[in-house]
Amino acid sequence: MDVSCDLEVDVNGEEIFMVDKKVICSYSGRINKLFGKSKRETRYLKVIFHDFPGGAESFELITRFCYNKGKIDEINPINVSTLYCAASYMEMEKSVSGNQNLFELTEKSLEDIRYWTWSELLDALRQCQDLMPVASSSGLIDKYLDSLIGRVASSCETSPCPSTSSADSSGFRLSCDTKSTESFRNSIFRATWWFEDLAAFNPFLIEILVKQMVSKNLDHGVLSKFLFYYQKSTFSAAKTTDEKCKTMETVIEMLYLIDLSCISFKTLFGMLRITLNLKISRCSRNKLESMISSQLDQATLDYLLLPSPVGSSYLYDVNLVLRLSKSFISKGACCVPLTRLRKVASLMDLYIAEVAPDPCLKPSKFLSLIRSLPESARDSYDAIYHATVMYLEVHSGLSEEEKTKICSGLNYEKLSSEACSHLAQNKKFPSKSVGQALITQQVKLKSLLQETNPYLDSPCSFVETENMGNEDQQIVLYAGKLDLSTENEKLKEHLQGMQWRVLELEKVCRKMQNQMAKMLKSRVSSHNSARSLPRLCS
């Protein structure tokens, strides 16, 4: 066969080949399109490939196939990936001299994939990482992953496939002292034996793998554990920050596809702490925060006490907590069960008390924390009041207007009598807040008196409550004469007396209710005795 080297091929800048244009064109549709119709005669031509799959080594296999008249010694699991991608890239779908073209030969070889060993399948997938993007666009990766996922799924039901991993090396070491622990160990091994093998793949391949596993309904709990395992093992081997960012973004994107109830909340927060020092994409960060906020009622105060970003003056990352709390109720407070809402409110109360002494925390941020949840989330605002007290003590230089704005976050109707009394005597609170607290207490007092009046008029308790009626009238007169339009200092002087009278009245009510209960019990007992008397006489 006469060979003339009239075509120069630069493969990815790795190596330059001198080949016979006519021979290569007879097998390659890609090359034929470039020069087949060219009538211009030149001494030699040159082609530059920038993304040839497999590089110079792969191109050399192609030239051997062409020079060997479309014959190849052997196609096996070791070289089939390279040959398949190279044939696809070079469009080698043309048969010459009645022989099968290279693309047909490689496809026929891939039909035996079900007979490959686990190690051969892994090696083929590793090769695909260097054959991108052709390995993905040609469907080769999908063929491999389909076989791999099938073996993983079947192993969870029966016994694990032969693997290079062992139970110990996979990071799930368990003691086996009893039959029950042995059974548990075996079940864990069946579900996780493949972790170490597949965690070696790059993020792009992991993304395709997990998406296919989700589509094939593999256990979401196992998938979430694998992603956390992958993130941890990859971080320990990553050399650059960019590699860590890419890994974290991939894990977050894949976790977002999984049922949230199958994801460890503690591990999610651990990932959040890691991302504080990484510049991951805004989209990935939002998805991570969304997953965390959906389970915010499971958090404790320690989870939320994350340091503020570099360059910030305040101690803790208040903006992050605000985003989490608002995201928790983003679908509307009415859609969140009250028990979960109350847990988050208790958590936020603890957090607000923790950040209140921060001298760098702005009034607007403090108020935003209080208002991040609806008022219905709290039965009592006493914890918010005490946090406000701390905040005003630390931020003593605030203007009256700023203090009033901060106090607008309080719900005075949900403050206890003790908290209102303390507020009225606290000179750090603005006069407007004191007035609101006193008005609320007066309304409560009148309401309480109106509720207790029917008992005071009861004939059965007239004798014992005769003296109490006078006191009740005094309290009513006192409440009626209270002029809330007077100066706040005078209101403060009256508050202690009001609080004492309210407490005394509550005691009177409880005493009267006990008496009523005793009398009712006595009457029922007498009535039962009277009914049984005829039977005794007979």
Side-chain angles (χ1 to χ4, degrees):
M1 177 180 176
D2 294 330
V3 177
S4 61
C5 298
D6 55 354
L7 177 61
E8 179 182 336
V9 182
D10 183 339
V11 182
N12 301 351
E14 299 175 6
E15 191 173 343
I16 295 176
F17 294 84
M18 297 301 299
V19 298
D20 188 323
K21 178 175 71 71
K22 183 179 180 180
V23 173
I24 299 298
C25 282
S26 62
Y27 290 95
S28 172
R30 190 184 189 100
I31 298 295
N32 191 47
K33 288 177 183 178
L34 291 174
F35 303 114
K37 297 180 181 180
S38 176
K39 297 180 180 180
R40 186 177 57 179
E41 294 185 3
T42 55
R43 189 165 185 178
Y44 72 91
L45 301 170
K46 183 176 182 178
V47 175
I48 300 176
F49 291 123
H50 296 288
D51 54 353
F52 196 93
E57 183 179 350
S58 176
F59 185 79
E60 186 175 352
L61 290 175
I62 294 297
T63 57
R64 288 181 182 178
F65 176 81
C66 295
Y67 283 123
N68 201 25
K69 298 181 180 181
K71 297 180 181 179
I72 193 165
D73 295 337
E74 182 183 8
I75 299 179
N76 52 48
I78 297 175
N79 62 17
V80 67
S81 300
T82 301
L83 290 171
Y84 183 90
C85 291
S88 178
Y89 183 86
M90 293 292 283
E91 300 177 13
M92 301 181 71
E93 301 172 356
K94 182 180 178 181
S95 300
V96 180
S97 303
N99 296 326
Q100 284 185 308
N101 60 63
L102 185 57
F103 192 78
E104 290 176 343
L105 290 171
T106 52
E107 280 213 315
K108 185 176 180 180
S109 178
L110 289 173
E111 292 176 359
D112 296 330
I113 192 173
R114 61 184 180 276
Y115 301 117
W116 292 6
T117 65
W118 175 258
S119 296
E120 288 174 337
L121 188 55
L122 289 178
D123 289 339
L125 275 166
R126 292 190 189 99
Q127 288 180 23
C128 286
Q129 296 180 136
D130 301 323
L131 299 171
M132 296 296 185
V134 179
S136 177
S137 61
S138 64
L140 182 62
I141 290 181
D142 291 335
K143 293 178 186 291
Y144 289 160
L145 290 181
D146 188 62
S147 178
L148 182 142
I149 294 172
R151 300 186 191 195
V152 169
S154 62
S155 71
C156 295
E157 300 172 359
T158 55
S159 59
C161 299
S163 171
T164 56
S165 298
S166 65
D168 290 336
S169 65
S170 64
F172 293 89
R173 298 179 176 87
L174 299 168
S175 60
C176 306
D177 298 331
T178 65
K179 291 183 179 180
S180 59
T181 55
E182 178 68 27
S183 176
F184 178 69
R185 180 183 183 278
N186 289 337
S187 64
I188 291 293
F189 179 63
R190 282 197 298 271
T192 62
W193 62 269
W194 48 276
F195 280 18
E196 185 175 0
D197 290 333
L198 304 193
F201 293 147
N202 62 29
F204 180 79
L205 204 56
I206 290 294
E207 186 172 340
I208 301 175
L209 169 69
V210 175
K211 283 182 178 179
Q212 288 202 19
M213 286 182 163
V214 171
S215 68
K216 295 180 184 298
N217 296 321
L218 264 71
D219 187 276
H220 283 204
V222 174
L223 289 182
S224 68
K225 288 183 176 65
F226 168 68
L227 287 168
F228 292 137
Y229 178 87
Y230 169 75
Q231 180 260 315
K232 185 176 180 180
S233 61
T234 304
F235 260 57
S236 61
K239 297 179 181 179
T240 65
T241 303
D242 289 341
E243 290 178 354
K244 292 182 178 180
C245 285
K246 182 59 179 176
T247 296
M248 187 62 73
E249 288 171 356
T250 300
V251 171
I252 292 173
E253 291 293 325
M254 295 303 98
L255 284 173
Y256 203 69
L257 303 176
I258 295 175
D259 185 358
L260 196 59
S261 63
C262 300
I263 302 176
S264 166
F265 178 76
K266 181 179 180 180
T267 312
L268 282 177
F269 243 108
M271 290 178 62
L272 181 62
R273 289 182 178 275
I274 294 174
T275 60
L276 296 178
N277 300 318
L278 295 175
K279 294 183 179 180
I280 64 173
S281 68
R282 170 53 58 184
C283 179
S284 295
R285 190 175 295 278
N286 289 342
K287 287 182 177 180
L288 177 59
E289 291 180 7
S290 176
M291 288 187 286
I292 291 174
S293 65
S294 298
Q295 305 180 66
L296 192 59
D297 54 311
Q298 298 182 28
T300 60
L301 180 60
D302 292 337
Y303 286 125
L304 299 186
L305 296 178
L306 298 173
S308 61
V310 177
S312 302
S313 56
Y314 43 91
L315 296 176
Y316 300 109
D317 196 343
V318 175
N319 290 328
L320 170 63
V321 175
L322 282 172
R323 291 197 300 271
L324 293 177
S325 60
K326 289 180 179 179
S327 178
F328 178 76
I329 58 171
S330 60
K331 294 181 180 180
C334 59
C335 299
V336 181
L338 187 59
T339 52
R340 297 185 64 200
L341 194 60
R342 293 282 168 83
K343 286 183 180 180
V344 174
S346 298
L347 176 65
M348 288 297 295
D349 288 352
L350 293 174
Y351 182 79
I352 293 170
E354 191 69 28
V355 301
D358 183 358
C360 296
L361 184 62
K362 296 180 180 180
S364 59
K365 293 296 181 184
F366 183 76
L367 184 59
S368 294
L369 285 171
I370 296 174
R371 290 179 170 175
S372 63
L373 298 176
E375 291 187 352
S376 59
R378 297 181 174 93
D379 283 330
S380 171
Y381 266 70
D382 282 15
I384 296 297
Y385 165 70
H386 292 303
T388 305
V389 171
M390 286 190 288
Y391 187 84
L392 293 178
E393 287 179 355
V394 174
H395 301 79
S396 56
L398 295 177
S399 65
E400 191 78 2
E401 183 181 355
E402 288 176 318
K403 290 180 179 179
T404 301
K405 189 174 182 180
I406 290 172
C407 293
S408 66
L410 291 171
N411 185 329
Y412 296 91
E413 294 181 359
K414 292 187 177 183
L415 286 178
S416 65
S417 300
E418 292 79 3
C420 281
S421 177
H422 188 271
L423 188 156
Q425 299 175 63
N426 193 327
K427 296 181 180 181
K428 295 186 181 296
F429 275 76
S431 57
K432 186 176 180 180
S433 298
V434 174
Q436 285 181 314
L438 291 172
I439 291 173
T440 302
Q441 284 300 96
Q442 185 190 31
V443 171
K444 284 185 178 180
L445 179 61
K446 287 184 177 180
S447 176
L448 182 60
L449 292 174
Q450 290 173 359
E451 291 176 1
T452 55
N453 274 336
Y455 292 105
L456 293 175
D457 294 337
S458 175
C460 62
S461 58
F462 175 78
V463 177
E464 295 189 31
T465 61
E466 182 177 2
N467 295 329
M468 297 177 188
N470 295 330
E471 183 179 6
D472 174 51
Q473 292 176 2
Q474 291 175 3
I475 295 175
V476 174
L477 290 173
Y478 182 88
K481 292 178 180 179
L482 185 61
D483 186 5
L484 293 175
S485 63
T486 58
E487 297 179 358
N488 286 316
E489 289 299 324
K490 293 182 179 180
L491 292 176
K492 292 179 181 179
E493 295 175 2
H494 289 304
L495 183 61
Q496 281 187 329
M498 280 184 64
Q499 299 301 325
W500 179 83
R501 285 173 172 79
V502 170
L503 294 174
E504 288 298 314
L505 184 57
E506 289 177 346
K507 291 179 181 179
V508 170
C509 291
R510 285 195 296 269
K511 184 175 180 181
M512 292 170 59
Q513 289 172 352
N514 290 336
Q515 290 175 351
M516 292 286 289
K518 289 179 180 179
M519 291 180 64
L520 180 61
K521 184 177 181 181
S522 176
R523 290 182 178 181
V524 171
S525 178
S526 300
H527 181 66
N528 291 338
S529 299
R531 291 182 62 182
S532 61
L533 184 59
R535 295 182 180 179
L536 293 174
C537 294
S538 62

